Amino acid sequence: MKISSSENKTLPVLIFWILAGWVGFAVLPWYGVEDGFFSFDWVFDGYPMDRDYAPAAFLLAQGKNLWLAPMVFALLAPLLVLRLKKSDPRYGAILLAVGAAGLAWLMAQGLAIGIRGWTTDWLGLAFGPLDSRQYGMGYGALLTASAFLFLFTQGLAARGAINGDVFVVSAITGVIAIVAIFVFFPIAKLMTAAFIGDDGSISILSFLAKFGDRRIWGLGCFSGGRCGAAWNSFFLAIIVATITTTMGLVFALVVTRSGFKYKRLLRALTVLPIITPPFVIGLAIILLFGLSGSITGFFADVFGVQPTRWVYGLPGIVIAQSLAYTPIAFLVLIGVVEGVSPSMEEAAQTLRASRWEVFKTVSLPLMRPGLANAFLLGFIESMADFGNPLVLGGNYDVLSTEIFFAIVGAQYDQGRAAILAIVLLSFTLGAFYAQRFWLGRKSYTTVSGKGDSGVHPAMPRGLAIPTFAIATIWGLFTVVIYGMIFYGSVVEVWGMNHELTFKHYVTAFSFRFEDSGIRWSGSAWDSFWTTIKIATIAAPLTAAIGLITAYLLTRQNFAGRNAFEFGTMLSFAIPGTVIGVSYILAFNVPPVEITGTGVILVVCFIFRNMPVGVRAGIASMSQLDKSLDESSLTLGANSWQTFRGVVLPLLRPAILAALVYSFVRAMTAISAVIFLVSAEYDMATSYIIGRVENNDYGLAIAYSTTLIFVMLSAVLLLQLLVGKIRIGRRGAGREKE
Amino acid sequence: MLKVRSKLLLGALSLVASGTMAQADGKLSLYCSAQEDWCQLMARSFEDATGIDVNMSRKSSGETFAQVKAESVNPKGDVWWGGTGDPHLQAAEENLTEAYVSPMRDQLHDWAISQATSANDKTIGIYSGALGYGYNADILAANNLPAPACWKDLLKPEYKGHVQMANPNSSGTAYTTLATMVQLFGEDDGFDFMKGLHTNVNQYTKSGSAPIKAAARGENTIGIVFMHDAVKQAVSGFPITVVAPCEGTGYEIGSMSIISGARNMENAKKFYDWALSAEAQNLALEVNAFQVPSNKGANTSESAPDMSSITLIDYDFSKFGSSDERKRLLQKWDNDVSVLPQ
């Protein structure tokens, strides 16, 4: 019964994809339309005969681009399958072969033939010179490629992969395909670019020469000179990670193990780094500690010392990054510190250990994985940070900014950028791998589900006093910094004229009513709306891909699951500047030619933020009992119906969280974005950087403040919504856990 | 199924018969290498003046050169406007740009035309800017420092930690500084100057105009930059004094070229002529660009440095713009200057 029903249901899917393949090949423009993905001028502009807009079939009919012809066979062959039964072995075999062959040919021709004919010399030698050329793929190629991909997965399913479940096989293959195109392909391009010498040939020697550069690996700082960017980044990351971990622990202890009254306030601080545009803290620090900063000026007056530029360089970056990333460490550690079972500590106390001994020998060792986790997170964040070194770096060169200036500056050296990116990537991947390797094997579980009603003992006094002192100072400092940001946005010119004014807000966000509606005359509106638009498009896509991946990881068993998980989480460890450079290298040329469009920004955000969606999905999906899915499947639903009808509704909180998080991240991202923006698609953060470059601090800070409030309301809205959603019949008690 | 599909194809084919070829007039693709707001203003004003749709993309002159070179078989851009002259000259040398003699030439300064003649009419000067420096008068006074007037003044020990310039590896401005010193004092003395300067420099910034911006904000005292960048800060109300060094100084010529094989050649020439007119060059003042315009009739700002009062050296653009010489000088600076203790 079940078999026949699934056979009837699969057929429409098959027909759909065969049709889609033909539509892509014969109806839609094969190549990318120059005016943009979402513009439809081409419909009236010479379609379908004009070379630039013609579908592949029309090109072939005119005798052009003949290398597209073999795909006709791959599109015709699946028609044979329609007459076969699904159980026929030829059914699966044909689909597999057709999908694989079509896709392979599509990719091969796309990579082999570019704007200037053959993309590599040996192809020209082998097949003779080629007069024609082709641009980046467009709607047609995209649709046909998807058709091949899903014909392939239907073949796989028909051969019995994952119990012949077409939805699961397609989902897995689909995720693999897009991760391959948008994560692995750019990274591979980056690796290749690092080996290309000045004369355009591939050589290991030029790689080694550039790689061994003194400006990357020099150790001159131990002998009075300067160190290379790699070491600078490394030292900085170690210092920052140590400080943030310590501070995070201090805050976590204050919240869980003391009588501190305003714990909610402290928790609220953790939201700050998520909603703060990346370089705002750096600006505030300049306003406080710079040569003309208010604190510097105060000390100069009181103690009669000459103000110096001490803040530019390592000290400034350390302060800014510590401020920015301590809340992240706090967020990680609070769970761990709370997770240490009180019964362990009580047992130790019963055995007459002093409070200090309990802390030192029981609590602290049990927090170790959390500490390691927090340290590595701090390390990765510091390495990847771009905004703070950009404004505070002084002569202290770090990898992330060096990459940027290798691309945008007068040197315009993509090879050097690629090499620096590889160095940076090895550091962060190393940390990422260490984290998984080190933490994956030990068990630190102490909460076991049995009666566990104890309370955490308070900290020993010798620890409590310094902890409190540090937490208070740090908290005050944070408040001052954010106060500074707001104050800076309402004064005329910081450091010169402190008259209060709203002029920066007016310049940025003025609008007026006209006959034709509201006219957004402020200078910031363009980038503001673009940012909102791009973030709004990217957020649901990120959530969707993240949740589907999470569903596959928690609910399905398939070969290579671990590699699959690693691949999808990988983009978390790739710093934004590396993503930016690799996207330029990979997507500036056919077959996927999307630089300068809005599409590349959307794509970039999806894959930057996907790991968060995956994590959120996994976390809430592992709370849902598998028996729910099983009963749905037993009642005859297929896996797609189960996913849609059972799993998805239960996941609403996770979906919302992923949505808001990716929305907010898209608004604050800078490191990757700065490579990918164009005049038409300028983002808020790159606009602000531009203002900073122009010495227009007032406007930059006013814009940042506005962004902070916009994002704060997004986060609060989420809290409100998620707080109200009650899932199914589960009691409120379970919910609180 | 097959029937449905073939009908679809038939329908599509009949569409072909009635389809007409696209015409691509009324468009201009502009590559712009000046500051963003200036680029925008130029593009919009040209649209207003002619009704031609401008598709502008802004990239640094180095990037634009790389792009024009990459697209040379299938050019997508029509005109390349703005940015320092070296990459324009290089593009001319590699035949990436088209020779054109504009009827507007008789309205231009000599230096703009000599830029054109040295490149066989494949590029032309649209503005020029002289190198110099600016200082924050308030900070100078607070530190009881004398006002500098010459390049050599910057070597005095009392300015230690007060001078900022960009890194010649990442900034064209700083490379111009290096090349100017070599031409002004000779190679050996020029490098001695750079070494002396090195002890006084507090930071080598990445971007060329950053030193004077830091000085404007009070985060630095003296910034070595193009004078028009310093003027811009002074006009914005910062306490910046602009200095044209007494020994004489180098300069850049912002250039414009038509890309060889442009798809909209007629419109490209229209833009070229328009961009050389006094009316178009006056737009610079609206966006606080204080470079000296190449059209004799164009307005210059009162705050802009008076080019006639500045001693300009005979800057050898073809020699110091060539990539070999550039690489050699930068290497030498890297090895002999940047590693010295400060």
Side-chain angles (χ1 to χ4, degrees):
Chain A
M1 186 62 208
K2 202 188 158 192
I3 291 169
S4 73
S5 82
S6 79
E7 198 159 288
N8 287 336
K9 267 175 200 147
T10 318
L11 209 52
V13 179
L14 181 65
I15 293 173
F16 174 80
W17 283 115
I18 294 177
L19 258 182
W22 276 105
V23 170
F25 192 76
V27 179
L28 293 175
W30 183 257
Y31 294 109
V33 181
E34 214 174 302
D35 307 324
F37 192 80
F38 300 109
S39 112
F40 291 93
D41 291 345
W42 53 270
V43 180
F44 312 103
D45 199 10
Y47 170 84
M49 291 312 282
D50 184 84
R51 241 199 117 124
D52 290 347
Y53 305 130
F58 288 84
L59 285 172
L60 289 176
Q62 296 176 51
K64 288 174 187 158
N65 297 19
L66 290 177
W67 57 85
L68 297 173
M71 266 179 288
V72 175
F73 299 108
L75 286 165
L76 285 174
L79 298 172
L80 300 173
V81 172
L82 291 173
R83 302 212 182 136
L84 297 174
K85 279 226 165 76
K86 203 180 170 184
S87 47
D88 191 323
R90 284 176 297 172
Y91 178 96
I94 291 180
L95 286 181
L96 265 184
V98 159
L103 209 54
W105 184 258
L106 194 84
M107 284 196 293
Q109 60 87 20
L111 291 170
I113 301 168
I115 301 183
R116 284 193 279 176
W118 298 116
T119 48
T120 45
D121 295 337
W122 61 266
L123 281 167
L125 290 176
F127 298 103
L130 183 78
D131 298 338
S132 316
R133 52 178 180 249
Q134 60 181 352
Y135 302 118
M137 296 184 182
Y139 309 104
L142 182 72
L143 194 61
T144 308
S146 326
F148 284 137
L149 184 73
F150 291 114
L151 289 177
F152 178 76
T153 60
Q154 287 181 52
L156 266 184
R159 306 271 297 196
I162 327 235
N163 301 323
D165 194 320
V166 173
F167 168 66
V168 175
V169 178
S170 305
I172 294 174
T173 323
V175 172
I176 291 177
I178 55 176
V179 168
I181 295 175
F182 292 112
V183 179
F184 289 100
F185 172 62
I187 297 294
K189 269 275 189 180
L190 181 74
M191 301 283 177
T192 340
F195 286 92
I196 294 177
D198 293 332
D199 54 348
S201 64
I202 293 182
S203 95
I204 295 196
L205 278 180
S206 93
F207 170 78
L208 289 177
K210 281 187 178 176
F211 187 81
D213 190 351
R214 183 160 40 79
R215 280 180 291 170
I216 305 181
W217 296 106
L219 274 171
C221 55
F222 292 111
S223 52
R226 283 206 226 156
C227 273
W231 292 120
N232 282 348
S233 277
F234 183 73
F235 298 144
L236 171 70
I238 295 278
I239 297 174
V240 168
T242 313
I243 295 179
T244 54
T245 311
T246 319
M247 294 308 303
L249 183 62
V250 164
F251 278 111
L253 288 174
V254 168
V255 168
T256 56
R257 282 151 204 254
S258 75
F260 188 65
K261 279 186 190 139
Y262 305 102
K263 292 175 184 172
R264 287 180 65 95
L265 203 69
L266 272 186
R267 280 188 186 249
L269 281 184
T270 56
V271 184
L272 283 178
I274 303 171
I275 59 166
T276 308
F279 30 76
V280 181
I281 292 185
L283 292 186
I285 284 177
I286 292 182
L287 299 182
L288 284 172
F289 299 112
L291 187 63
S292 301
S294 18
I295 293 187
T296 315
F298 175 77
F299 274 93
D301 286 351
V302 174
F303 300 104
V305 287
Q306 199 56 249
T308 63
R309 293 170 39 88
W310 66 274
V311 81
Y312 292 94
L314 185 63
I317 314 179
V318 167
I319 299 176
Q321 292 190 342
S322 304
L323 270 174
Y325 305 136
T326 291
I328 296 176
F330 173 51
L331 208 59
V332 172
L333 285 168
I334 193 162
V336 178
V337 172
E338 270 177 347
V340 173
S341 167
S343 46
M344 295 280 208
E345 292 167 323
E346 278 168 10
Q349 278 181 319
T350 325
L351 295 168
R352 301 217 177 156
S354 72
R355 278 208 251 169
W356 180 246
E357 276 171 328
V358 174
F359 181 77
K360 215 174 67 182
T361 57
V362 179
S363 319
L364 205 54
L366 285 172
M367 294 170 195
R368 206 178 293 152
L371 292 175
N373 220 338
F375 186 87
L376 288 166
L377 265 179
F379 183 89
I380 293 179
E381 292 276 0
S382 163
M383 274 269 171
D385 183 26
F386 172 77
N388 291 315
L390 188 70
V391 292
L392 279 167
N395 283 329
Y396 196 82
D397 295 333
V398 296
L399 289 169
S400 54
T401 47
E402 285 291 286
I403 293 173
F404 177 65
F405 287 109
I407 288 274
V408 302
Q411 34 182 343
Y412 195 67
D413 188 345
Q414 288 193 337
R416 180 170 150 77
I419 283 168
L420 289 165
I422 287 174
V423 174
L424 180 54
L425 191 60
S426 354
F427 275 122
T428 53
L429 279 186
F432 181 65
Y433 191 73
Q435 183 195 23
R436 291 176 65 90
F437 181 76
W438 187 16
L439 299 179
R441 301 203 303 189
K442 285 185 189 150
S443 166
Y444 292 90
T445 319
T446 57
V447 179
S448 60
K450 290 179 189 147
D452 209 13
S453 54
V455 279
H456 291 293
M459 280 180 281
R461 181 159 302 159
L463 187 65
I465 294 171
T467 306
F468 255 126
I470 296 175
T472 316
I473 295 172
W474 198 255
L476 279 178
F477 190 42
T478 310
V479 171
V480 169
I481 290 279
Y482 279 87
M484 221 49 200
I485 293 171
F486 183 70
Y487 185 54
S489 74
V490 291
V491 297
E492 197 79 25
V493 182
W494 183 266
M496 294 180 48
N497 179 355
H498 287 194
E499 249 173 77
L500 293 184
T501 173
F502 276 109
K503 115 181 165 187
H504 304 304
Y505 288 96
V506 173
T507 319
F509 294 108
S510 64
F511 57 89
R512 56 176 185 265
F513 296 96
E514 284 179 357
D515 301 340
S516 51
I518 304 179
R519 184 167 155 76
W520 309 98
S521 48
S523 63
W525 284 117
D526 269 356
S527 59
F528 183 79
W529 291 128
T530 310
T531 308
I532 298 272
K533 193 171 96 188
I534 300 278
T536 314
I537 298 174
L541 293 172
T542 314
I545 295 179
L547 290 176
I548 287 179
T549 311
Y551 169 77
L552 297 173
L553 284 172
T554 49
R555 288 299 202 263
Q556 305 292 338
N557 260 317
F558 49 92
R561 206 176 128 240
N562 284 335
F564 182 77
E565 182 178 4
F566 189 75
T568 52
M569 298 302 292
L570 186 66
S571 64
F572 175 74
I574 305 178
T577 29
V578 178
I579 294 260
V581 172
S582 63
Y583 270 35
I584 289 187
L585 292 173
F587 301 131
N588 209 8
V589 287
V592 187
E593 192 186 355
I594 50 176
T595 46
T597 65
V599 177
I600 198 167
L601 290 165
V602 173
V603 166
C604 167
F605 287 137
I606 293 176
F607 292 94
R608 289 279 283 152
N609 301 329
M610 183 176 128
V612 182
V614 176
R615 278 284 150 236
I618 288 183
S620 43
M621 250 181 262
S622 26
Q623 289 176 343
L624 302 179
D625 202 322
K626 251 192 162 174
S627 53
L628 285 171
D629 309 23
E630 277 159 13
S631 35
S632 160
L633 290 169
T634 324
L635 291 169
N638 63 25
S639 55
W640 162 240
Q641 289 165 326
T642 308
F643 180 71
R644 200 186 53 188
V646 178
V647 180
L648 218 49
L650 290 171
L651 280 182
R652 260 179 301 171
I655 297 173
L656 264 175
L659 273 178
V660 172
Y661 187 82
S662 48
F663 182 79
V664 164
R665 284 266 300 205
M667 293 190 76
T668 57
I670 179 73
S671 45
V673 165
I674 199 154
F675 293 93
L676 306 177
V677 290
S678 47
E680 209 181 337
Y681 294 96
D682 199 8
M683 299 285 285
T685 42
S686 75
Y687 179 84
I688 295 174
I689 278 276
R691 296 298 95 201
V692 172
E693 281 267 285
N694 239 337
N695 244 3
D696 210 345
Y697 276 29
L699 188 61
I701 294 181
Y703 198 163
S704 306
T705 315
T706 314
L707 285 185
I708 291 179
F709 281 111
V710 169
M711 290 183 280
L712 192 64
S713 21
V715 172
L716 288 178
L717 196 70
L718 168 84
Q719 296 267 337
L720 215 65
L721 286 172
V722 172
K724 282 202 175 137
I725 289 175
R726 289 272 173 273
I727 298 174
R729 293 180 300 178
R730 279 195 298 170
R734 177 91 198 270
E735 194 84 321
K736 267 180 194 156
E737 271 182 17
Chain B
M1 262 332 290
L2 273 168
K3 253 184 190 167
V4 173
R5 202 187 45 70
S6 54
K7 266 186 191 164
L8 249 172
L9 260 182
L10 268 179
L13 280 171
S14 62
L15 256 174
V16 176
S18 61
T20 47
M21 295 301 280
Q23 288 299 311
D25 53 22
K27 276 195 213 166
L28 177 77
S29 172
L30 169 67
Y31 288 169
C32 186
S33 304
Q35 72 207 45
E36 175 83 41
D37 46 359
W38 196 1
C39 292
Q40 291 281 5
L41 186 66
M42 287 297 282
R44 298 295 87 83
S45 309
F46 182 65
E47 280 181 344
D48 289 347
T50 58
I52 294 170
D53 269 346
V54 180
N55 187 358
M56 189 273 287
S57 85
R58 203 211 82 90
K59 279 182 177 156
S60 77
S61 42
E63 279 175 275
T64 310
F65 173 72
Q67 187 174 3
V68 169
K69 195 171 172 180
E71 292 170 356
S72 56
V73 180
N74 171 36
K76 288 186 181 172
D78 299 319
V79 176
W80 175 15
W81 181 85
T84 188
D86 291 353
H88 283 272
L89 289 174
Q90 207 170 339
E93 216 169 282
E94 298 188 21
N95 279 325
L96 300 171
T97 47
E98 191 88 1
Y100 175 57
V101 179
S102 165
M104 304 295 289
R105 277 209 182 177
D106 50 351
Q107 299 186 18
L108 303 184
H109 284 288
D110 292 343
W111 50 261
I113 303 202
S114 78
Q115 179 82 351
T117 37
S118 72
N120 295 326
D121 300 326
K122 287 176 183 160
T123 185
I124 199 157
I126 46 177
Y127 58 78
S128 79
L131 196 70
Y133 55 87
Y135 58 82
N136 183 319
D138 293 356
I139 298 194
L140 209 68
N143 287 287
N144 294 320
L145 293 171
C150 300
W151 286 120
K152 291 264 163 106
D153 286 345
L154 300 181
L155 302 182
K156 291 179 184 162
E158 58 257 43
Y159 294 118
K160 185 169 174 54
H162 286 288
V163 184
Q164 213 171 75
M165 69 175 281
N167 189 324
N169 284 306
S170 67
S171 148
T173 309
Y175 174 73
T176 308
T177 313
L178 178 60
T180 298
M181 296 314 151
V182 168
Q183 293 173 75
L184 194 58
F185 301 126
E187 178 147 345
D188 289 343
D189 290 353
F191 268 90
D192 282 344
F193 175 85
M194 295 308 287
K195 285 175 192 165
L197 195 62
H198 179 75
T199 40
N200 283 351
V201 165
N202 59 37
Q203 181 186 342
Y204 289 106
T205 61
K206 304 291 181 193
S207 105
S209 58
I212 198 65
K213 288 169 184 163
R217 282 197 317 275
E219 297 298 310
N220 171 45
T221 316
I222 303 169
I224 301 177
V225 289
F226 279 115
M227 276 186 248
H228 51 254
D229 287 328
V231 170
K232 187 170 180 176
Q233 298 305 322
V235 169
S236 314
F238 293 104
I240 292 291
T241 308
V242 188
V243 178
C246 66
E247 296 99 334
T249 190
Y251 58 100
E252 65 161 1
I253 293 177
S255 304
M256 167 169 65
S257 314
I258 292 180
I259 292 158
S260 182
R263 293 186 189 186
N264 306 295
M265 186 57 87
E266 282 315 303
N267 292 341
K269 286 178 178 167
K270 269 184 206 158
F271 180 88
Y272 193 97
D273 296 342
W274 176 80
L276 292 176
S277 70
E279 159 215 3
Q281 298 200 348
N282 283 342
L283 293 171
L285 293 179
E286 286 182 31
V287 290
N288 281 349
F290 295 111
Q291 284 92 336
V292 177
S294 63
N295 189 305
K296 290 177 198 159
N299 299 333
T300 40
S301 161
E302 285 172 18
S303 356
D306 179 8
M307 286 298 258
S308 61
S309 70
I310 303 171
T311 328
L312 290 180
I313 61 169
D314 188 12
Y315 197 104
D316 188 345
F317 286 104
S318 54
K319 179 179 176 197
F320 290 93
S322 76
S323 65
D324 288 342
E325 182 68 3
R326 173 185 278 263
K327 221 173 237 173
R328 189 183 70 82
L329 288 179
L330 287 178
Q331 193 105 45
K332 191 165 175 181
W333 185 82
D334 261 348
N335 293 334
D336 296 357
V337 180
S338 74
V339 290
L340 295 176
Q342 277 177 305

